[in-house]
Amino acid sequence: MIRFILLQNRQGKTRLAKYYVPLEDSEKHKVEYEVHRLVVNRDPKFTNFVEFRTHKVIYRRYAGLFFSICVDITDNELAYLECIHLFVEILDHFFSNVCELDLVFNFHKVYLILDEFILAGELQETSKKAIIERMGELEKLE
Amino acid sequence: MEQLWTIGRELAMGSQGGWGQSKEFLDLVKSIGEARSKAEEDRIIARELEHLKRRLADPDVPRRKMKELLLRLVYVEMLGHDASFCHIHAVKMTHDESLPLKRTGYRAVALFLDERHDLVILVVNTIQKDLRSDNYLVVYAALTAACRLIGEEALPCRPRL
């Protein structure tokens, strides 16, 4: 199961945070700080999986943004690496050539995209086409 | 020259201030982004929270504006600041008849609260009602929130689908 998803830039500013397990505010702060320190200082030659407390973090860097997913220790890392890439592809399609500013000003839409394919910490939908179509439907309502 | 640049920027960003957001929200994000220190960021957000508290207390706020105020509060909470005074407004918005507002309410509630929170009891009823809706988008919004808010104690409340 996914514990949380973080989008952070190189300076450590959180651009998006979605927690699938209840955490106190102080704990969230600590987690965000630790995850950022963990992924930023990591050598690019190393794998994109790293142990974090009793879980593991799968991360991927796109330009100046780090996409980090914390999952159970027994989960499949490659599946979540693909999940991050799917998320980025959808963002890129939805915002037509996405940049960090799009995520800042449209963070509520990013949450919506996230809810389209991850529900209760589990991957629900893997079809990019289906997600984009549904997002189009929801956009018409706005 | 400065004035021309500002006009040019506003034209480029559209009348809504760009990205479909109000100018107030854009200015908030911009000022947070330009903050030199954590203390300065905290000051900006404290000021914003005061402003939002005043606006939310106003009974004449249009519903569309209410949606934007709630999104700004989600942004403030996402940055790790306490905006617990507004949680009740998010709960109220889940009762709205308008689908975009209801969805915004559910989205905010799912981000603000968890199954241990006291306010969850006020959302359970709405979730039950919305899960029985004929509109699948309403059901979908309620389900997304239910995943986050319905714990073991509230499980018997779920409707038989």
Side-chain angles (χ1 to χ4, degrees), chain B residues 106-120:
Chain B
Y106 272 129
R107 203 181 313 157
V109 158
L111 291 165
F112 290 153
L113 315 180
D114 60 66
E115 60 194 54
R116 303 172 301 185
H117 203 284
D118 301 335
L119 288 176
V120 167

Side-chain angles (χ1 to χ4, degrees), chain B:
Chain B
M1 192 66 203
E2 177 65 30
Q3 196 182 356
L4 274 175
W5 185 83
T6 310
I7 293 166
R9 188 189 65 165
E10 281 174 5
L11 277 173
M13 290 173 123
S15 59
Q16 270 277 288
W19 288 281
Q21 301 287 5
S22 74
K23 193 175 181 304
E24 284 177 354
F25 179 72
L26 290 177
D27 289 342
L28 168 71
V29 174
K30 193 163 166 279
S31 56
I32 289 171
E34 288 169 358
R36 298 276 168 84
S37 64
K38 185 80 177 82
E40 193 183 337
E41 184 185 303
D42 290 347
R43 265 200 311 277
I44 293 163
I45 286 175
R47 203 166 57 232
E48 175 70 7
L49 282 171
E50 274 306 307
H51 169 68
L52 290 172
K53 203 179 277 189
R54 270 201 315 276
R55 294 294 302 274
L56 287 166
D58 180 6
D60 301 326
V61 176
R63 281 153 76 212
R64 293 294 294 182
K65 189 69 186 167
M66 193 72 164
K67 178 185 169 182
E68 199 222 310
L69 295 176
L70 202 59
L71 287 175
R72 274 155 70 178
L73 283 159
V74 170
Y75 185 70
V76 166
E77 278 245 337
M78 192 178 79
L79 293 175
H81 297 266
D82 179 45
S84 50
F85 69 88
C86 74
H87 294 177
I88 189 68
H89 294 286
V91 170
K92 278 182 194 166
M93 200 176 269
T94 61
H95 307 332
D96 207 290
E97 289 304 307
S98 153
L99 182 58
L101 294 182
K102 186 185 278 290
R103 272 182 36 238
T104 304
Y106 272 129
R107 203 181 313 157
V109 158
L111 291 165
F112 290 153
L113 315 180
D114 60 66
E115 60 194 54
R116 303 172 301 185
H117 203 284
D118 301 335
L119 288 176
V120 167
I121 198 78
L122 301 176
V123 193
V124 170
N125 236 353
T126 320
I127 289 176
Q128 272 191 300
K129 185 168 72 74
D130 288 338
L131 285 175
R132 292 196 189 94
S133 170
D134 296 331
N135 186 340
Y136 79 96
L137 290 170
V138 173
V139 176
Y140 159 67
L143 268 177
T144 310
C147 292
R148 175 96 170 118
L149 304 175
I150 305 299
E152 281 177 39
E153 305 86 61
L155 263 181
C157 305
R158 80 198 190 286
R160 300 268 177 262
L161 294 176

